[in-house]
Amino acid sequence: MKNTYQFYRDRRSALMRSMRDHAGGGLALVPTAPEVARNRDSLFPYRQDSYFYYLSGFPEPDAVVALLAGPEGEDRQVLFCREKNEEREIWDGFRYGPEAAKEIFGFDEAHPIGALPEKLPEFASDRPALFTPLGLFEHWDRQVTQLLNEVRGRARTRAVALYYAVRDRIRYDVYDADLS
């Protein structure tokens, strides 16, 4: 990992400590903002979700940060992002891909965004809490609802969706720690 991005990893670690303090651990899922079409064949210039960028530094769309905070400090930092595709890069611009993103941005694991639906139930099972934004991105809300339904169906965990207000409080705690 390049030293330039170490402070993003430190922010993620601080958030996981706060998750442990507030709920005994859990799973934080932070999606980036979707791309927005300007018309049929062009998009508005892309801007990431501020929370996503604050935790990752990752500049691409179609990505999700998953932070798994274990009760005893066994943490995992996972990034889901677009796969490297040289043909699409001609039209859409440069893509890091999971392997490079893992190394450059300091994640423990990185997977293609297409693997998100199969990995999320495994990540969410037996976690005391789920921290994720709701009500911002319609597609994301559907994914979280499907995840909660699948996990509840397994009857192995209780998941609690906390809104931005709680996450804002955690972010400010992390920010205060960054200043000291």
Side-chain angles (χ1 to χ4, degrees):
M1 175 180 64
K2 302 205 185 275
N3 291 334
T4 310
Y5 296 99
Q6 179 63 40
F7 66 96
Y8 291 109
R9 184 168 178 85
D10 294 342
R11 286 176 177 174
R12 294 189 299 266
S13 295
L15 176 59
M16 288 187 288
R17 281 191 303 277
S18 294
M19 290 166 53
R20 225 179 335 279
D21 293 343
H22 287 85
L27 170 64
L29 297 172
V30 185
T32 192
E35 291 181 298
V36 178
R38 180 186 306 227
N39 56 37
R40 278 190 355 198
D41 61 352
S42 68
L43 302 170
F44 281 106
Y46 182 69
R47 184 188 184 288
Q48 304 85 345
D49 176 73
S50 296
Y51 292 100
F52 177 87
Y53 193 75
Y54 178 83
L55 291 172
S56 70
F58 190 71
E60 297 179 18
D62 291 336
V64 174
V65 170
L67 303 175
L68 293 85
E72 302 299 321
E74 58 278 359
D75 299 336
R76 289 168 52 197
Q77 300 181 14
V78 183
L79 176 69
F80 292 89
C81 63
R82 291 177 172 176
E83 291 189 71
K84 183 87 173 150
N85 182 329
E86 292 179 10
E87 186 174 323
R88 286 305 317 163
E89 286 182 37
I90 293 169
W91 300 101
D92 300 333
F94 177 76
R95 293 182 182 186
Y96 284 96
E99 296 80 22
K102 174 187 169 200
E103 180 64 31
I104 292 170
F105 296 94
F107 285 90
D108 299 322
E109 302 172 31
H111 302 282
I113 192 70
L116 186 67
E118 81 180 47
K119 294 275 188 185
L120 279 186
E122 168 195 331
F123 289 171
S125 294
D126 298 323
R127 300 279 170 194
L130 171 63
F131 299 84
T132 191
L134 294 174
L136 293 178
F137 313 123
E138 184 179 330
H139 176 69
W140 180 249
D141 291 350
R142 280 195 305 272
Q143 277 192 288
V144 170
T145 301
Q146 289 171 350
L147 169 65
L148 291 173
N149 288 337
E150 184 166 341
V151 170
R152 284 184 189 128
R154 293 179 180 192
R156 292 176 14 189
T157 188
R158 69 174 170 83
V160 180
L162 301 176
Y163 293 89
Y164 264 134
V166 173
R167 201 170 78 214
D168 281 349
R169 183 66 222 153
I170 293 170
R171 181 177 180 199
Y172 293 135
D173 291 344
V174 171
Y175 181 74
D176 290 342
D178 284 349
L179 294 178
S180 52

